[in-house]
Amino acid sequence: MYEPQNTLQGPSLYQPYPARIIRTLPQIPDHQLFQVRFEQEDMVKSFTYRPGQFLMLSVLGTGEAPFSISSSPTRPGVIELCVRQIGRVTKALFNLPPNALVGIRGPYGNGFPLEQLRGNNLLLVAGGLGMAPLRSLLWYALDNRAKFKDVILMYGGRNPDEMLFKYELLNLIDRADVKCLLTVDNDPEGIWKARIGVVTKLFDHVEIDPENTFAAVCGPSVMFKFVLEKLLQRNFSKDRILMSLERNMQCGVGKCGHCMIGYKYTCLDGPIFTYWDAINLPEMI
Amino acid sequence: MKIVKLPKEKLAEFLSCLRAFGEIHAPTKRGEKSHVFAPLKEPAGIELDYTRTILPLKKYFLPPMETMFNFQAEKGYETPAEESDKKYIIFGVHPCDIHSLKILDLVFGGKYVDGHYFSRRSKAAIIGLDCIPDEFCFCRSTGTDFVDDGFDLFLSDIEDSYLVRVGTSLGDDMVKAADTLFQEVTVQDREKYKKKSIQRGQSFQSEIQLQDLPEIMDLEYESQIWQELGEECLGCGTCSMVCPTCYCYAVFDELNLDAASGQRIRRWDSCLFKDYALVAGGHNFRAQRSSRVKNRYFHKQRGFVSQYGRPSCVGCGRCKEYCPAGVDIIEVVNKLRSETRV
Ligand SMILES: Cc1cc2nc3c(=O)[nH]c(=O)nc-3n(C[C@H](O)[C@H](O)[C@H](O)COP(=O)(O)OP(=O)(O)OC[C@H]3O[C@@H](n4cnc5c(N)ncnc54)[C@H](O)[C@@H]3O)c2cc1C
Ligand code: SF4
Ligand code: SF4
Ligand code: FES
């Protein structure tokens, strides 16, 4: 199911490999999807990863930052990153000319525990940019459909203009092999074809068997809190709730110390943690 | 282990022989009371009865600042020209500092090997030396007052001579290169060594009980002690800089004047600095100084244990000696303990 990946290690462990931004797809204000391709042909072919893993992206002269890989390893060749413009590195990234050279190293982190997920139902709950890592898992599951039972996606945004991957996800609504529930808090212009209301309301529309389901929840912490309540109400075991955490990361490989939470490195032991891990680590959320 | 004897009056001669193996760095005086590891010009400049240097040995392997690689527009990233193959001998290293290197080896090794660190490590020979503890040392409590490995040679003072343990093949070559200076160890020498060892054991003034500290740290996570420490601590980061096992660093890019090329640099960082855990968007996971102080202790005594199976403190006493606010690790641990007993 999953081939162990060979994490790239250059002459310096920290030296990125050259890659080009071959395409940028504007998503919503301040968010873009970057399609990136390694310069070296053999690396284009050999680079593989696990949904939920991240890579370190460098903008020459500005610096480096971690980003979840938003594409699926089932669709090799191009790596997709969904980035929000928020600070120095991301601003520089948004201002690069077409076909610009960037640097990539990775993949890093544990990623989703695919071996464990296999044979289970998947419940993916996303809010905002939380869709970035979950999109990788979503397409992985859809491209390996027989390996999972039901696949359910719940994704919410504030309004239709803030839904990431909007058309791609709207197209899933009619697919029979996935239950795609999309919702917006408000629809001021009356253009939204899917549901209206907060993400947690989507739970009213699904039957879930908590014993045979893994929930992956990614999104702002407020959303996380409410979704968690719902899951616990539905008798989810704390080991079956997965989340992706963000911390300051300056190396990605367990050396610089910055991503430490209590006694785990987010970059090595995470970024995917179970809810059980979370409540056992001080400073986790 | 092979053990030989070096009479003290032969030390200078031995040091000259050692120069064939690399540039010798040894404890030398800096100012009135302080010591630093520095290149040894004259054998007479060596200060073997020092207790601790201000900066620990990590400066040789994880320099305070280093260029990891260069970059150029439209060329990308490239490793700087090979560093020189210059060999070093670090002479006079105390057991706690040898242990600290073993701890750094754990951190920089593992699944992802940090070549910057290990290429320097492989070029430096370590010659250890035993010591007499002062009021800041608590290495006996941390189990780092003796070493069995991690050195090429290790010298133990037995009054008029040194007993020299030979730890590696390179160490053996060093002894062989100065063959005529060394003597066989006698029964009396062994007796002297044992006597010295007992004396040393009795001269520890600071002792803390560390075995169950991880549990106590968990219990005292919400303790008022952290609040109080947060008020004392100035957040200056000195404790991290002088600690032989603190390894955190920050990474940044530096542009050259042409604005098209530059270097990626890493520089020692401290978890006591305010922006250490800051993430994009301005959220700071440890905005309070108390939470940062707590994190430092927690990581050394609790976190490191679950990651690497042992605490990362080697009891060298540097953080206590050099803290401008008088924050004292022994006092902190004792307070945590007594809180738990109540
Ligand atoms: C595992 C993981 C996955 C992620 N996935 C995504 C994703 O898919 N999409 C996405 O958009 N984002 C993602 N992020 C967040 C992303 O890494 C940040 O948005 C990014 O680091 C912002 O970088 P910046 O330089 O633009 O922001 P800045 O705020 O400028 O800098 C980011 C970090 O660098 C430090 N820093 C930079 N400059 C300074 C300075 N002058 N002084 C002090 N500190 C400074 C800050 O402490 C801050 O933590 C992820 C983060 C993690 C950890
Ligand atoms: S040296 Fe002392 S004052 Fe400075 S950061 Fe460390 S504990 Fe705080
Ligand atoms: S925490 Fe203090 S006593 Fe322990 S190794 Fe570091 S500097 Fe030495
Ligand atoms: S990012 Fe450096 S230790 Fe995790």
Side-chain angles (χ1 to χ4, degrees):
Chain A
M1 166 172 214
Y2 163 75
E3 299 292 303
Q5 81 280 341
N6 202 351
T7 302
L8 302 170
Q9 290 197 9
S12 160
L13 171 60
Y14 308 100
Q15 189 175 324
Y17 289 81
R20 298 245 170 224
I21 298 182
I22 54 169
R23 218 167 152 209
T24 55
L25 305 162
Q27 288 278 323
I28 60 175
D30 286 334
H31 292 64
Q32 276 186 16
L33 187 70
F34 292 85
Q35 295 189 332
V36 190
R37 195 170 190 278
F38 282 109
E39 283 273 90
Q40 280 164 258
E41 204 56 42
D42 54 327
M43 283 175 46
V44 174
K45 296 206 181 77
S46 63
F47 185 82
T48 182
Y49 50 90
R50 185 187 272 254
Q53 284 194 298
F54 65 94
L55 47 73
M56 298 295 286
L57 177 101
S58 286
V59 178
L60 262 89
T62 307
E64 195 175 41
F67 298 99
S68 305
I69 306 176
S70 213
S71 46
S72 163
T74 49
R75 299 168 182 218
V78 174
I79 304 164
E80 291 179 328
L81 306 172
C82 184
V83 178
R84 175 171 47 154
Q85 185 175 359
I86 189 162
R88 270 172 6 98
V89 173
T90 47
K91 281 218 174 79
L93 181 66
F94 273 60
N95 289 328
L96 288 175
N99 204 37
L101 190 72
V102 291
I104 285 183
R105 59 191 180 94
Y108 297 129
N110 56 357
F112 288 103
L114 298 177
E115 296 79 2
Q116 250 180 299
L117 302 189
R118 189 175 185 161
N120 283 274
N121 302 310
L122 293 184
L123 171 62
L124 314 182
V125 191
L129 195 53
M131 197 57 223
L134 286 186
R135 177 173 178 258
S136 180
L137 183 59
L138 175 70
W139 283 108
Y140 180 88
L142 294 183
D143 291 343
N144 287 291
R145 195 59 195 85
K147 289 170 181 159
F148 300 93
K149 290 192 192 153
D150 292 350
V151 177
I152 306 169
L153 171 69
M154 298 179 175
Y155 177 41
R158 248 174 295 181
N159 58 58
D161 290 335
E162 296 197 8
M163 293 293 278
L164 291 165
F165 309 107
K166 185 160 60 183
Y167 299 106
E168 179 181 313
L169 296 177
L170 282 169
N171 279 334
L172 290 182
I173 291 181
D174 297 329
R175 260 174 84 153
D177 58 350
V178 52
K179 189 158 182 145
C180 177
L181 303 168
L182 306 178
T183 187
V184 295
D185 297 349
N186 308 294
D187 178 24
E189 291 161 53
I191 51 169
W192 186 240
K193 298 277 188 298
R195 291 162 212 269
I196 296 181
V198 290
V199 173
T200 39
K201 258 180 68 183
L202 298 176
F203 279 83
D204 301 341
H205 304 281
V206 286
E207 281 296 318
I208 307 168
D209 163 19
E211 306 264 305
N212 295 301
T213 306
F214 273 94
V217 189
C218 294
S221 52
V222 208
M223 180 213 87
F224 188 80
K225 195 171 144 242
F226 289 114
V227 170
L228 194 67
E229 263 170 35
K230 283 277 175 199
L231 293 171
L232 295 177
Q233 270 167 26
R234 299 261 179 140
N235 291 322
F236 265 82
S237 141
K238 292 185 273 300
D239 296 323
R240 285 180 165 260
I241 302 172
L242 303 165
M243 53 206 278
S244 179
L245 293 184
E246 282 190 16
R247 282 297 183 277
N248 183 323
M249 290 187 177
Q250 309 212 358
C251 73
V253 289
K255 314 292 182 204
C256 77
H258 283 264
C259 71
M260 182 80 55
I261 313 176
Y263 39 86
K264 302 243 182 197
Y265 286 117
T266 315
C267 66
L268 292 181
D269 306 311
I272 309 296
F273 290 95
T274 66
Y275 178 56
W276 173 246
D277 286 334
I279 48 183
N280 278 291
L281 286 182
E283 313 182 322
M284 191 73 157
I285 315 180
Chain B
M1 189 174 281
K2 178 170 166 183
I3 304 178
V4 288
K5 183 169 77 169
L6 178 70
K8 280 192 177 167
E9 73 264 15
K10 306 278 190 201
L11 181 67
E13 224 175 307
F14 181 49
L15 286 170
S16 328
C17 290
L18 278 180
R19 289 194 196 276
F21 292 86
E23 183 177 289
I24 301 176
H25 287 239
T28 46
K29 250 208 166 107
R30 175 73 48 94
E32 276 294 286
K33 291 182 297 188
S34 303
H35 292 91
V36 291
F37 277 105
L40 185 70
K41 300 205 178 66
E42 299 291 321
I46 200 163
E47 287 280 337
L48 289 182
D49 56 357
Y50 80 110
T51 19
R52 66 182 65 74
T53 53
I54 307 170
L55 283 187
L57 290 188
K58 68 178 176 187
K59 69 175 184 182
Y60 289 106
F61 310 115
L62 180 70
M65 187 135 123
E66 75 174 297
T67 295
M68 296 195 285
F69 45 83
N70 302 311
F71 53 82
Q72 273 185 61
E74 276 318 299
K75 274 207 172 146
Y77 298 89
E78 41 196 41
T79 317
E82 261 305 298
E83 285 179 40
S84 78
D85 268 337
K86 192 158 142 186
K87 298 254 195 291
Y88 295 88
I89 294 172
I90 308 183
F91 193 99
V93 185
H94 289 168
C96 62
D97 280 351
I98 293 179
H99 277 281
S100 76
L101 292 180
K102 291 169 63 173
I103 287 172
L104 293 182
D105 289 351
L106 290 176
V107 173
F108 287 101
K111 181 176 172 196
Y112 300 103
V113 177
D114 187 309
H116 303 279
Y117 172 88
F118 281 104
S119 82
R120 298 198 185 97
R121 194 80 168 84
S122 66
K123 285 176 204 140
I126 303 291
I127 300 189
L129 175 72
D130 68 355
C131 45
I132 298 295
D134 69 3
E135 73 269 29
F136 299 107
C137 300
F138 58 101
C139 56
R140 194 162 65 168
S141 309
T142 50
T144 48
D145 49 342
F146 287 98
V147 273
D148 317 318
D149 59 359
F151 53 81
D152 296 282
L153 295 176
F154 192 95
L155 278 55
S156 302
D157 187 323
I158 50 162
E159 289 162 21
D160 48 352
S161 303
Y162 294 107
L163 279 199
V164 182
R165 286 188 282 160
V166 183
T168 61
S169 153
L170 174 64
D172 195 40
D173 293 345
M174 292 170 175
V175 169
K176 290 222 169 83
D179 209 18
T180 54
L181 306 179
F182 288 89
Q183 299 171 1
E184 261 179 52
V185 177
T186 64
V187 182
Q188 289 90 327
D189 296 334
R190 285 200 286 266
E191 289 310 314
K192 273 191 211 157
Y193 177 84
K194 285 186 232 166
K195 213 175 96 202
K196 270 274 198 180
S197 185
I198 293 170
Q199 262 175 21
R200 178 169 179 259
Q202 284 165 346
S203 49
F204 279 94
Q205 303 161 45
S206 301
E207 205 80 49
I208 44 175
Q209 158 78 21
L210 286 170
Q211 281 69 18
D212 52 355
L213 204 57
E215 286 86 334
I216 291 183
M217 302 288 288
D218 278 347
L219 281 172
E220 293 303 333
Y221 195 75
E222 304 296 340
S223 167
Q224 186 58 30
I225 289 174
W226 304 119
Q227 216 56 43
E228 291 161 15
L229 272 176
E231 272 154 38
E232 283 172 41
C233 169
L234 311 170
C236 68
T238 301
C239 50
S240 313
M241 305 302 149
V242 300
C243 177
T245 63
C246 272
Y247 51 82
C248 288
Y249 62 80
V251 177
F252 59 97
D253 281 7
E254 193 179 73
L255 273 180
N256 295 335
L257 284 176
D258 64 4
S261 62
Q263 300 79 41
R264 178 157 299 164
I265 290 175
R266 68 174 167 190
R267 178 181 60 198
W268 288 357
D269 200 355
S270 168
C271 59
L272 273 313
F273 292 157
K274 192 160 192 227
D275 56 7
Y276 183 83
L278 194 69
V279 293
H283 182 64
N284 192 337
F285 286 94
R286 287 182 217 110
Q288 303 303 320
R289 207 178 298 136
S290 57
S291 66
R292 297 198 293 277
V293 179
K294 172 157 73 177
N295 174 68
R296 179 166 193 273
Y297 282 95
F298 210 82
H299 180 232
K300 291 230 166 275
Q301 306 291 355
R302 172 74 179 93
F304 209 83
V305 178
S306 42
Q307 275 167 334
Y308 298 103
R310 54 153 306 152
S312 70
C313 173
V314 295
C316 72
R318 285 184 178 89
C319 57
K320 177 177 169 182
E321 180 170 358
Y322 298 110
C323 173
V327 172
D328 173 355
I329 179 166
I330 297 174
E331 206 180 291
V332 174
V333 170
N334 284 337
K335 268 196 200 159
L336 281 174
R337 273 191 174 286
S338 56
E339 292 263 308
T340 315
R341 272 198 222 109
V342 177

